[in-house]
Amino acid sequence: MGATNIPCRNTLGDITETRRKGRLSPSSLIARALGAWRKRYWFLIDILSSYVWMLDRRLLYVVATARRGSFTAAAAEVGVTQSAITKSVADLERQIGYVIFNRTARGVILTEDGQSFVERSVRILDETRELLRGSFTGSDPYAGVLKIGICPASIEWLLVEPLSTLTQRHKSIRLDITGSNFDRTAQELRAGAIDVAVGFEAAFREQPDFRCEALAGPRTSFFVRSGHPILEREEVTLADLARYEMISPSSSRPYDSFMHRIYEDAGIEARTKLHFIDYFPIVARLVSQSDAIALVASDYTETPSFKRRFTRVPFLETRPLSPLAIAIRSRWTPRPAVRAFIKACRERLPAIDAQDETRV
């Protein structure tokens, strides 16, 4: 039989001979052999991947629905009709004996049992992809895409230094960063659409299915347009703030509860005064054209571009800081890239006192 009928023999023989001469370590030998096998038998990998798709399509449908929040969006993601995905999920629910999603007019919401099912489905699918794709890509455990969710999106700038450190250390990591509100980010983390989330600790700590590590949050200040009437006050009080409309970067804790309380203490309905906007250019435009009061990172208030149009309200600096948190799924072992990201955040973002933190 010719050598072409046993395509890996020569390759493996050459590798083994190289090892015998002392030029390869055992781990390198294995990596080379697997790489050679993958190159020769790529078609078999594709066949196995297709087979797994057929076996796990309902799991894919469930995860996509949990990630997108509706059957219609999930169908567009996986490339099937909405009726097909709705029927498949309903059939699966009948088979397992409990409801995964509560259906509403605006989409779907995971039930408590559904959250557990989605977490297990994500784990199965991830491990399957790792088996079929990652096992033959070499010895770098950090290679691949790291998906990070940030809430609210306006705090993305805080990750500049940690991400710079991360990518310098592990050049094979590819970043996929999305900013959204807390509810969307939490849903994506549960569904496995992201690997890790960064946001305010006050919001994440209420979620029993997440593990969090708290970090010091950014210093924030109230700011207004130059010439705002509140600047005529010698000492700004909560009652003074309540006289004006305010803009919060998030509708979740900590800022929503803090601002609601300002209005409630003054006997004012917060819904008549409070905006939720997480895009700073819009916030800046509204503040510059009205008497609205908004929040900004204190460091930015020292820049010339800020001072040309705005003034910091000397109030919030005396308030306690709102710590940030890194969150992962509590029943999930973080892969190397996630652990490397957490380490970079620990090093480049200041940590809060050790007695107040929960380690990931």
Side-chain angles (χ1 to χ4, degrees):
M1 182 177 294
T4 53
N5 292 325
I6 46 173
C8 281
R9 175 180 292 177
N10 291 340
T11 302
L12 293 177
D14 291 343
I15 294 173
T16 304
E17 178 63 19
T18 303
R19 167 58 185 159
R20 187 182 65 79
K21 294 178 179 180
R23 295 200 296 269
L24 278 179
S25 65
S27 59
S28 297
L29 174 64
I30 294 171
R32 291 266 190 103
L34 289 174
W37 191 92
R38 181 178 176 84
K39 288 179 181 178
R40 302 278 184 165
Y41 291 105
W42 58 269
F43 62 90
L44 184 56
I45 296 296
D46 288 346
I47 292 172
L48 289 173
S49 298
S50 299
Y51 185 60
V52 171
W53 159 259
M54 289 188 291
L55 287 177
D56 293 341
R57 64 184 184 278
R58 292 188 301 180
L59 300 186
L60 290 169
Y61 294 167
V62 167
V63 171
T65 302
R67 180 185 300 131
R68 298 302 181 185
S70 77
F71 291 122
T72 302
E77 177 180 316
V78 300
V80 299
T81 63
Q82 186 267 341
S83 59
I85 204 169
T86 302
K87 182 179 184 302
S88 293
V89 172
D91 290 344
L92 178 60
E93 289 175 324
R94 282 193 293 271
Q95 179 181 336
I96 62 179
Y98 56 83
V99 175
I100 299 174
F101 299 105
N102 286 324
R103 280 72 166 172
T104 71
R106 300 180 61 182
V108 297
I109 301 173
L110 280 169
T111 64
E112 185 174 349
D113 289 334
Q115 289 182 6
S116 177
F117 185 89
V118 167
E119 288 179 0
R120 295 179 66 184
S121 298
V122 169
R123 186 178 301 115
I124 290 170
L125 294 172
D126 282 352
E127 290 177 353
T128 301
R129 294 188 186 101
E130 182 71 16
L131 175 64
L132 294 177
R133 300 174 186 173
S135 299
F136 303 98
T137 58
S139 58
D140 187 353
Y142 298 93
V145 177
L146 175 62
K147 298 181 179 180
I148 304 169
I150 303 175
C151 59
S154 55
I155 65 171
E156 289 178 345
W157 63 273
L158 290 169
L159 296 184
V160 171
E161 292 302 324
L163 291 176
S164 176
T165 298
L166 176 68
T167 54
Q168 288 176 12
R169 288 175 178 170
H170 307 288
K171 299 186 184 301
S172 60
I173 291 178
R174 296 294 175 263
L175 299 175
D176 184 349
I177 301 173
T178 58
S180 187
N181 58 44
F182 172 77
D183 291 337
R184 178 65 180 273
T185 300
Q187 183 178 14
E188 291 183 340
L189 184 58
R190 288 192 182 96
I194 56 177
D195 300 304
V196 60
V198 179
F200 289 108
E201 189 263 349
F204 281 118
R205 71 186 176 198
E206 299 176 344
Q207 311 300 316
D209 51 338
F210 295 156
R211 282 190 289 159
C212 300
E213 175 167 342
L215 302 166
R219 288 186 173 274
T220 53
S221 302
F222 282 118
F223 78 102
V224 295
R225 62 175 175 81
S226 298
H228 193 287
I230 201 171
L231 299 176
E232 299 175 2
R233 306 288 298 178
E234 292 186 3
E235 182 177 352
V236 177
T237 65
L238 292 175
D240 293 327
L241 294 176
R243 294 174 56 193
Y244 303 97
E245 294 183 355
M246 288 193 287
I247 304 174
S248 172
S250 173
S251 58
S252 58
R253 297 185 65 181
Y255 289 123
D256 68 324
S257 57
F258 171 57
M259 292 185 171
H260 271 86
R261 190 162 57 250
I262 290 176
Y263 289 120
E264 290 169 358
D265 290 347
I268 300 172
E269 287 191 33
R271 64 182 180 83
T272 66
K273 292 278 192 178
L274 193 55
H275 303 274
F276 296 105
I277 304 174
D278 190 29
Y279 185 59
F280 189 73
I282 295 177
V283 174
R285 177 63 65 88
L286 293 179
V287 170
S288 68
Q289 296 178 343
S290 69
D291 287 340
I293 302 174
L295 288 164
V296 67
S298 297
D299 290 346
Y300 180 62
T301 64
E302 302 300 325
T303 64
S305 61
F306 176 86
K307 293 179 179 180
R308 280 196 297 269
R309 295 189 297 164
F310 306 112
T311 302
R312 179 171 60 184
V313 179
F315 172 76
L316 196 61
E317 286 80 3
T318 62
R319 307 295 299 182
L321 294 178
S322 300
L324 296 175
I326 303 170
I328 62 171
R329 297 184 290 276
S330 59
R331 290 181 288 182
W332 192 272
T333 302
R335 59 192 180 90
V338 174
R339 294 198 296 269
F341 170 69
I342 294 172
K343 180 181 179 182
C345 288
R346 288 173 183 158
E347 294 172 352
R348 303 310 297 265
L349 292 175
I352 66 171
D353 190 89
Q355 66 181 358
D356 295 327
E357 66 180 326
T358 302
R359 291 285 179 188
V360 173

